[in-house]
Amino acid sequence: MKKLKRLFALCLSFILLCLCTTGCNAIDEMRAHHGVYAENGDVIMVGKTQYRLLPNNKYLAATNANPDPIYVTDKDVPVLLSNMLGVTFRSFNDGLLLRSVDYMEDLYYCRSDKYDELAARLKEAFNPTGYCYRYTKFNAETQEFTEHTYLLTKEQEEAVHEVVAHVAGDARSESERYNNDYSITLYSCSDDMLLQNYEYTIEKLYGSYYLVEYDNITNMDIAYTVPYKKYAIFDAICQSKLEAEKVEDDYYDNLYGYTEEKYDIDYEVI
């Protein structure tokens, strides 16, 4: 016990020494990212904002993550030790959700002003109303990535439904999924995209579009060939992701002096 106390005091002294060189701003920053457990862990307070533990639901989608972690501790842990002794959470959906960064168990907390509404929805059956996908944007000035979610328009939804309804699906070998030009994971979702479930993957392979779903019975991919007349709609669906990727590619091309010529790997040849 004495050794533990000495270690604790040593760590605290080290942190205080570091903070003395950076001033009050560092302490204020740590305090802004320090959460405290209350009510036996069912409540988290981050400053004056209260979050309440949500019931488990596999469809709940935490998106648009804030890159700055929040360290949650018991109330008697000093803020200066929060990043060493705290449980790491991240804020999602513009501060609506907190999610624990624990690969053994996902814990979601909802901001208390929206808790009753969301908790009631999680107890009901999931009835999706549209499709969406997630992608990241790179900011060349800050060199940071931010997550975004794109909600398909009604015309784009109808195009997806029509392909699945009117095109015969073909079983496809697993190796082909790695050979595409690009792909987008498509989720069925609620209007606000808080509830999501994987449905399809949009793939472009050798210039052709495919809508792919996984068959749990055969454990194979089923690929639906998108008719050429719908290519313009699928181009529009993929546009946000492709534009974001181009910004990142252009940045690194300019940074490292890459030419227009890319080094592509032909997996079929391999």
Side-chain angles (χ1 to χ4, degrees):
M1 182 61 72
K2 289 184 178 179
K3 290 184 178 180
L4 186 60
K5 288 182 178 179
R6 287 175 187 161
L7 181 61
F8 182 86
L10 181 62
C11 292
L12 184 58
S13 300
F14 177 74
I15 293 174
L16 287 171
L17 179 63
C18 292
L19 289 175
C20 286
T21 63
T22 57
C24 295
N25 288 339
I27 300 177
D28 292 340
E29 185 72 13
M30 292 185 72
R31 187 174 289 113
H33 296 91
H34 180 208
V36 176
Y37 286 117
E39 298 182 23
N40 298 320
D42 290 341
V43 170
I44 292 175
M45 296 297 301
V46 182
K48 295 182 179 179
T49 305
Q50 183 187 78
Y51 290 85
R52 297 171 59 189
L53 181 63
L54 284 166
N56 290 329
N57 188 296
K58 67 178 182 179
Y59 301 115
L60 181 60
T63 59
N64 304 340
N66 187 314
D68 298 323
I70 294 174
Y71 302 103
V72 181
T73 69
D74 293 331
K75 62 177 63 177
D76 57 349
V77 175
V79 65
L80 298 180
L81 296 176
S82 60
N83 61 346
M84 296 179 61
L85 303 179
V87 177
T88 305
F89 281 75
R90 290 198 182 275
S91 173
F92 292 84
N93 302 78
D94 298 321
L96 176 66
L97 299 174
L98 293 183
R99 177 185 178 185
S100 64
V101 183
D102 185 343
Y103 297 104
M104 300 299 294
E105 181 183 18
D106 277 339
L107 295 177
Y108 289 90
Y109 288 73
C110 179
R111 202 174 59 227
S112 58
D113 62 312
K114 293 291 186 179
Y115 176 85
D116 290 338
E117 175 188 343
L118 183 52
R121 289 176 61 186
L122 297 182
K123 294 178 182 178
E124 299 172 352
F126 174 46
N127 295 307
T129 57
Y131 293 104
C132 66
Y133 68 82
R134 308 166 194 171
Y135 66 102
T136 56
K137 280 186 177 181
F138 177 72
N139 187 318
E141 294 183 0
T142 63
Q143 297 185 16
E144 292 181 342
F145 291 91
T146 54
E147 187 182 37
H148 297 264
T149 311
Y150 177 81
L151 181 66
L152 273 62
T153 66
K154 293 301 179 184
E155 180 189 26
Q156 293 166 354
E157 286 178 35
E158 291 172 1
V160 171
H161 285 303
E162 288 177 9
V163 170
V164 176
H166 301 296
V167 175
D170 296 318
R172 198 180 65 174
S173 66
E174 185 176 333
S175 62
E176 290 187 61
R177 74 175 62 172
Y178 303 108
N179 209 22
N180 56 69
D181 302 329
Y182 58 82
S183 65
I184 288 177
T185 303
L186 207 58
Y187 298 87
S188 58
C189 65
S190 56
D191 287 339
D192 57 8
M193 296 180 286
L194 272 174
L195 301 177
Q196 298 181 15
N197 187 47
Y198 168 75
E199 292 291 343
Y200 306 106
T201 302
I202 297 175
E203 294 186 359
K204 197 164 191 181
L205 176 63
Y206 302 129
S208 298
Y209 274 116
Y210 298 88
L211 199 59
V212 183
E213 67 176 337
Y214 183 74
D215 188 337
N216 291 315
I217 298 176
T218 63
N219 293 323
M220 294 188 69
D221 287 336
I222 306 299
Y224 303 89
T225 303
V226 176
Y228 180 77
K229 63 182 180 181
K230 295 190 181 297
Y231 276 22
I233 297 177
F234 276 75
D235 284 341
I237 292 174
C238 301
Q239 182 178 359
S240 293
K241 176 182 171 68
L242 296 180
E243 287 180 349
E245 289 181 347
K246 186 177 186 306
V247 170
E248 181 184 355
D249 288 344
D250 288 347
Y251 173 81
Y252 285 108
D253 285 354
N254 293 330
L255 181 64
Y256 296 111
Y258 292 158
T259 64
E260 292 291 329
E261 197 174 323
K262 303 291 182 181
Y263 295 93
D264 294 328
I265 299 175
D266 191 332
Y267 290 96
E268 284 195 345
V269 172
I270 295 176

